[in-house]
Amino acid sequence: MMTTELDEHLSFLYGREATAAKERLAQIVERFRKAHPEVATRAATGRVSEEDAILITYGDMVQEPGEAPLQTLATFLEAQVGELLSTVHLLPFYPYSSDDGFAVIDYRAVDPRLGSWAEIAAMGEQFRLMFDAVINHISAESEWFQGFLADEPPYRDYFTVVDPDADLSEVFRPRALPLLTPVETAAGTKWVWTTFSADQIDLNYRNPDVLLEIVETLLFYVSHGADFIRLDAIAFMWKEMGTSCIHLPQTHRIIQLLRAVLDLVAPHVVLITETNVPHEENVSYFGDGQNEAQMVYNFSLPPLTLHAFHTGRAETLSRWASTLATPSAKTTFFNFLASHDGIGLTPAKGILSEEALQEMAARVQALDGRVSFKSNPDGSQSPYELNINYLDALGDPQAEGERAEVVARRFLTSQAIMLALQGVPGIYFHSLFGSRNWEEGVEKTGRFRSINREKLVRATLARELADPDSLRHRVFHGYRRLLAARRQPVFHPNGAQEVLSLDERLFSVRRRSPDGQQQIVCLHNVAAEPVTVRIDVAKLGVPAAIILGDQLDDAAFPVFDGRLCPVGVPPYGTRWLRPYNASGETL
């Protein structure tokens, strides 16, 4: 089955060469529809709600001797947070050769060290699943690239070959590594495009066969239970000499084609784009709100939240958050603070000054973190990523021996900011379970990103979580309270959001349910001192309120003279306040 939309996308990408691709795509779509008729009937509405929270994790993040790590992970999560997490984002679980999974050898296999498709299916019975589509590049050890080296069809045109003397000065570089890598093939030496490393060979989407292989791969993921598909490093897909080779129109068209295919045969599936770039470029992947990603990683949130806690001032974060908008009710942000990668600085450019970014980098280094650099067109280098556990990144290098209570409260308030914002929260495993920097990992692998990728033994983790004096216990149980409190209509992704200006030390946001009948005011103190504000309940449209009740504890704040309500927020504290009338009903 082909639609006019799919026809137009292929014509735009390949012109006269599109005819064969159109015929083959029609066959791919029809074959999938016949094999999985139940998928096409799943509704596209209600994909996400306030019930959704997505855990980001490697398949072997928690381990138990003698058991497949995917099985261990599933049973551990079901026991600890099964009722509070809707979805598990399994970072690449395929066979790989480097980059902790992001140099994929076989897109359609499960790494046997993790388990099998049976374990993936079992996890899908407990949680919705999010898969990675690492489709900008593939491992040098893959069958595809080995076929290229042997100069065998169809692989000889699966990768981008470039004259090493070509002018590539305009190309945007996300890494301080060579853009081209020489390889010996049966047809002689060739220089292939390697955006991220010599082991991650960029695919050639100028070849329609490559795009069709990827379409089939995404449908394979859907057939194995993927409700969400993360398009990794998607901005670099199309190469055009004389351009930056990032965010090109052809890249957007490819995403539109993938969306159109999924809308046709699997309308419930959500595409999420991962583009670690400045905010305005990032949100371009929403398209017109109907035709590209339904969700976009909110990449500016991590560095701006970190900056707020470093300075004890939330003005910049608040100013930026007040501009957040999506083009339709079918789109929303994927909000996150920590992930398997570091804290990207590029998304904060144009929002924070270069001086502020340099100060953040220096502070992270003082907290035993690392800083990764990228190459600029003029040959200089600049910091692009902070490699540090987010909990540790929030620390003060001048404050030695901080109490676990303070460390946990500050961290949980940072997470509360993310949870309160319009969108769907993505929570990294090590954030949920209160981990710290893994220095040993950096020494062991020689890679800065290892600092936040520690694998944990289940028995040890369980013991630490059960210890009420441990930092893990404080963080985990505090996070559980936040997640439980978040499961109410005021936090629906389509609920209205208004950033309030109450105090420069507070990040304050008002959320309303989609029907406008419920509201909550969320106050987050990014400073080390207590803050008291007077909230005018009349301006909230609830003059009948007599108290504002905190949803996170038993605190209640009376309204005086039917209007003003003084609210105290402790250092690094959080208040999620609902208005109540004299009958105890929420307003």
Side-chain angles (χ1 to χ4, degrees), residues 80-359:
Q80 297 287 350
V81 286
E83 77 283 12
L84 295 175
L85 294 174
S86 65
T87 305
V88 175
H89 169 201
L90 287 170
L91 292 161
F93 50 82
Y94 324 109
Y96 70 96
S97 53
S98 64
D99 198 20
D100 285 346
F102 285 89
V104 178
I105 294 175
D106 185 346
Y107 287 132
R108 302 192 188 188
V110 176
D111 187 337
R113 293 171 294 185
L114 299 179
S116 68
W117 282 113
E119 279 76 35
I120 300 288
M123 187 176 294
E125 294 177 0
Q126 302 172 47
F127 302 97
R128 301 172 76 187
L129 297 177
M130 177 170 161
F131 290 4
D132 265 286
V134 190
I135 57 175
N136 175 73
H137 49 264
I138 198 168
S139 167
E141 295 183 16
S142 66
E143 179 183 349
W144 292 7
F145 192 65
Q146 292 304 304
F148 170 83
L149 294 179
D151 197 37
E152 296 174 349
Y155 305 114
R156 62 168 60 105
D157 195 32
Y158 268 36
F159 303 93
T160 301
V161 177
V162 181
D163 183 335
D165 295 323
D167 182 5
L168 302 174
S169 59
E170 296 299 315
V171 176
F172 176 84
R173 298 295 296 116
R175 298 283 188 275
L177 294 169
L179 180 62
L180 303 181
T181 298
V183 296
E184 295 302 322
T185 78
T189 302
K190 294 185 178 181
W191 292 75
V192 292
W193 198 293
T194 52
T195 297
F196 294 100
S197 80
D199 187 42
Q200 294 164 294
I201 320 299
D202 285 44
L203 296 173
N204 176 23
Y205 282 93
R206 286 178 170 275
N207 178 357
D209 289 342
V210 171
L211 176 57
L212 295 177
E213 287 269 18
I214 294 304
V215 169
E216 289 198 271
T217 297
L218 298 196
L219 293 179
F220 176 83
Y221 292 162
V222 173
S223 72
H224 282 76
D227 280 351
F228 301 82
I229 296 177
R230 174 185 183 267
L231 302 178
D232 176 72
I234 205 72
F236 304 95
M237 292 178 74
W238 194 275
K239 280 68 176 176
E240 194 77 38
M241 297 302 105
T243 75
S244 64
C245 296
I246 186 172
H247 312 315
L248 296 185
Q250 294 90 339
T251 294
H252 284 279
R253 273 300 180 111
I254 290 172
I255 298 171
Q256 291 167 23
L257 182 144
L258 298 178
R259 168 74 183 272
V261 168
L262 291 171
D263 281 352
L264 189 63
V265 300
H268 68 286
V269 174
V270 175
L271 283 180
I272 305 179
T273 49
E274 188 261 351
T275 52
N276 191 353
V277 295
H279 184 72
E280 291 304 316
E281 299 170 26
N282 187 34
V283 297
S284 71
Y285 289 87
F286 281 130
D288 64 9
Q290 308 288 334
N291 64 348
E292 291 193 39
Q294 291 99 336
M295 291 171 62
V296 164
Y297 268 71
N298 203 350
F299 267 107
S300 298
L301 181 61
L304 295 182
T305 301
L306 185 62
H307 174 264
F309 281 90
H310 280 186
T311 60
R313 296 293 180 269
E315 305 104 315
T316 302
L317 175 63
S318 298
R319 187 164 54 249
W320 166 79
S322 68
T323 69
L324 291 176
T326 63
S328 80
K330 294 183 178 181
T331 57
T332 195
F333 285 104
F334 182 70
N335 293 322
F336 76 109
L337 289 179
S339 73
H340 58 291
D341 291 338
I343 304 165
L345 295 180
T346 302
K349 288 185 178 295
I351 304 172
L352 295 177
S353 67
E354 288 299 321
E355 181 182 9
L357 294 174
Q358 293 288 349
E359 289 175 354

Side-chain angles (χ1 to χ4, degrees), residues 34-55:
K34 288 182 177 179
H36 305 281
E38 76 289 350
V39 175
T41 61
R42 290 185 61 180
T45 56
R47 292 185 180 98
V48 292
S49 73
E50 69 275 9
E51 303 286 324
D52 284 290
I54 300 176
L55 183 75

Side-chain angles (χ1 to χ4, degrees), residues 61-84:
M61 200 69 93
V62 56
Q63 304 176 2
E64 188 165 303
E67 187 172 82
L70 284 168
Q71 180 181 345
T72 302
L73 178 66
T75 56
F76 176 79
L77 293 178
E78 178 66 17
Q80 297 287 350
V81 286
E83 77 283 12
L84 295 175

